[in-house]
Amino acid sequence: MRTEAEAAGSQLEPGDFVQLPVPIIQQLYHWDCGLACSRMVLRYLGQLDDGEFESALQELRLTRSIWTIDLAYLMRHFGVRHRFCTQTLGVDKGYKNQSFYRKHFDTEETRVNQLFAEAKACKVLVEKCTVSVQDIQAHLAQGHVAIVLVNSGVLHCDLCSSPVKYCCFAPRGHRCFCRTPDYQGHFIVLRGYNRATGCIFYNNPAYADRMCSTSVSNFEEARTSYGTDEDILFVYLDS
């Protein structure tokens, strides 16, 4: 028996329906959603070795505070072709008083700005630019994937029967009681779309057993929320 999405996809033209076989890997802690997304991408590319991955984390000093630029350096470490698009080349000082950033802002500002400053010399491709949904769909249509920073308080999955029980703001096994309207940064992996139904498919590392889907409008609201800098890390299959 076909799913509703499969039935709709069979009636579309090539490129109107994309659903890439990106494996789902759940995050282990409250802070490592970006690393879980990186594991998904590397496994999709056939380049994930757990030992090498752990060594890379040590070498790059990736601990409990992970920024999108860190993930770009991680892709470069593995020789993966990438393109990091953002609205801010460095740390936006306006985030200093936001609850999500406040705890680590002072210690992280210098480190993150240095990563941006050294990106070109380290062959990490970073661009200050605006990315449209059409750009994202064109990327996915080629079999490529992307890691996107979103406001998880805004992002809503249409396939999940209930709100996220476990999220990147509580250790695994603990219920998430996040009810704050403030920005809550979270990384997801884009894996496809359906133009007919106007939805985006993605993997949420808060889960270990499902693909998620949301409307293009909800996705756009979540990824352009203040605090995300509209960060998106394009990753290419032909790495």
Side-chain angles (χ1 to χ4, degrees), residues 39-230:
R39 286 180 184 270
M40 293 187 219
V41 167
L42 290 172
R43 182 166 290 175
Y44 174 68
L45 298 176
Q47 297 193 36
L48 180 61
D49 176 277
D50 289 333
E52 291 180 6
F53 190 84
E54 292 301 323
S55 295
L57 299 187
Q58 294 296 321
E59 183 175 333
L60 296 173
R61 299 179 182 177
L62 301 184
T63 54
R64 289 175 175 264
S65 181
I66 306 296
W67 296 60
T68 318
I69 187 68
D70 290 313
L71 305 185
Y73 271 79
L74 188 57
M75 291 299 118
R76 175 68 186 99
H77 179 91
F78 285 98
V80 172
R81 189 159 71 93
H82 63 278
R83 177 176 170 236
F84 171 27
C85 297
T86 182
Q87 291 295 300
T88 308
L89 297 176
V91 177
D92 186 335
K93 289 185 178 295
Y95 297 158
K96 184 172 184 176
N97 294 320
Q98 277 205 330
S99 59
F100 182 80
Y101 287 104
R102 188 181 301 128
K103 183 177 180 180
H104 300 288
F105 190 90
D106 290 335
T107 56
E108 287 292 275
E109 183 180 15
T110 299
R111 182 187 75 83
V112 172
N113 283 338
Q114 185 175 358
L115 290 176
F116 273 94
E118 298 174 351
K120 186 175 182 179
C122 294
K123 297 182 179 179
V124 174
L125 182 56
V126 182
E127 296 181 23
K128 181 179 180 180
C129 61
T130 298
V131 177
S132 69
V133 169
Q134 291 72 29
D135 294 330
I136 294 171
Q137 290 175 331
H139 179 78
L140 295 170
Q142 298 300 311
H144 309 313
V145 292
I147 298 175
V148 182
L149 180 61
V150 298
N151 183 348
S152 72
V154 172
L155 188 69
H156 301 292
C157 176
D158 295 329
L159 301 180
C160 294
S161 58
S162 61
V164 176
K165 293 181 179 179
Y166 308 106
C167 71
C168 63
F169 319 117
R172 186 169 66 174
H174 291 250
R175 289 186 63 83
C176 173
F177 295 101
C178 304
R179 294 294 182 269
T180 173
D182 293 340
Y183 167 76
Q184 296 290 340
H186 188 53
F187 289 105
I188 61 173
V189 178
L190 300 188
R191 59 181 292 178
Y193 59 87
N194 186 337
R195 283 204 178 98
T197 58
C199 66
I200 297 287
F201 302 129
Y202 63 95
N203 287 356
N204 184 343
Y207 290 123
D209 60 352
R210 70 195 69 181
M211 178 191 75
C212 289
S213 174
T214 191
S215 67
V216 167
S217 60
N218 179 247
F219 170 66
E220 283 292 271
E221 183 183 3
R223 80 175 183 95
T224 60
S225 292
Y226 181 72
T228 66
D229 284 326
E230 299 185 29

